[in-house]
């Protein structure tokens, strides 16, 4: 279980929101609340009280100039997990992970540099996961842009994200807790 104060570096993908909405209509427990549709570049990252301007500067330097055009085109399903790969974000995730090598994504459960994805459903019942995967596939492809990255933190009230940080020559990072 994730502890309060855990942070993550995310690329918000608002155009994937309808995929999560459709999944929640099938199995509301399979969709995590508190953060909109997103792709995690690094989770977990630092403890919230360790995030300061030096860490944010290092994070900004690791991110590519953008915006980045992405294409959500395939569905992955493993057990109760349904996701959509975002290969266009793999290089950005690798750069962030190299900038913070002590922080292995997902605690190493999927290797040191797992592919980036949007989670549509997690821990769904087998039948529900099948329906969610089929409904997700029917809504693809989605072509959109990622123009902001966010640092989010888990608070006692749930995940809290900063506002949009526009990416121009150098990407912005939004950072709020609370």
């Amino acid at each position: 279980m994730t502890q309060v104060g855990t942070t993550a570096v995310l690329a918000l993908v608002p155009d994937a929101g309808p995929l999560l909405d459709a999944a929640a209509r099938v199995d509301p427990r399979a969709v995590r609340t508190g953060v909109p549709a997103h792709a995690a570049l690094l989770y977990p990252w630092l403890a919230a009280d360790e995030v300061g301007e030096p860490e944010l500067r290092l994070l900004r330097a690791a991110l590519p100039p953008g915006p980045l055009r992405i294409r959500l085109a395939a569905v992955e399903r493993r057990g109760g997990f349904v996701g959509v790969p975002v290969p266009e974000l793999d290089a950005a995730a690798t750069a962030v992970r190299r900038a913070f090598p002590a922080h292995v994504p997902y605690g190493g459960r999927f290797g040191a540099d797992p592919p980036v994805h949007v989670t549509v459903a997690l821990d769904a019942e087998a039948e529900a996961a099948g329906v969610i995967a089929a409904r997700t596939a029917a809504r693809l492809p989605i072509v959109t842009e990622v123009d902001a990255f966010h640092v989010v933190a888990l608070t006692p009230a749930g995940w809290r994200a900063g506002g949009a940080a526009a990416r121009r020559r150098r990407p912005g990072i939004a950072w709020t807790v609370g």
Side-chain angles (χ1 to χ4, degrees), residues 11 13 43 68 70 82 88 99 103 136 140 142 145 162 168 173-174:
V13 186
Y43 163 81
L68 297 174
I70 64 170
V82 179
E88 298 86 353
H103 303 278
T136 298
L140 300 178
I142 297 170
E145 288 186 344
R168 290 181 181 78
I173 302 294

Side-chain angles (χ1 to χ4, degrees), residues 71-144:
R71 185 171 191 269
L72 307 176
V75 176
E76 292 180 345
R77 177 176 171 219
R78 288 183 304 282
F81 167 83
V82 179
V84 178
V86 189
E88 298 86 353
L89 292 176
D90 286 343
T94 297
V96 169
R97 295 163 184 172
R98 285 183 182 153
F100 298 93
H103 303 278
V104 180
Y106 306 103
R109 289 181 303 193
F110 309 108
D113 197 25
V116 177
H117 65 275
V118 172
T119 299
V120 177
L122 193 59
D123 299 328
E125 297 291 330
E127 184 176 329
V131 171
I132 291 167
R135 290 184 180 178
T136 298
R139 293 175 178 260
L140 300 178
I142 297 170
V143 177
T144 189

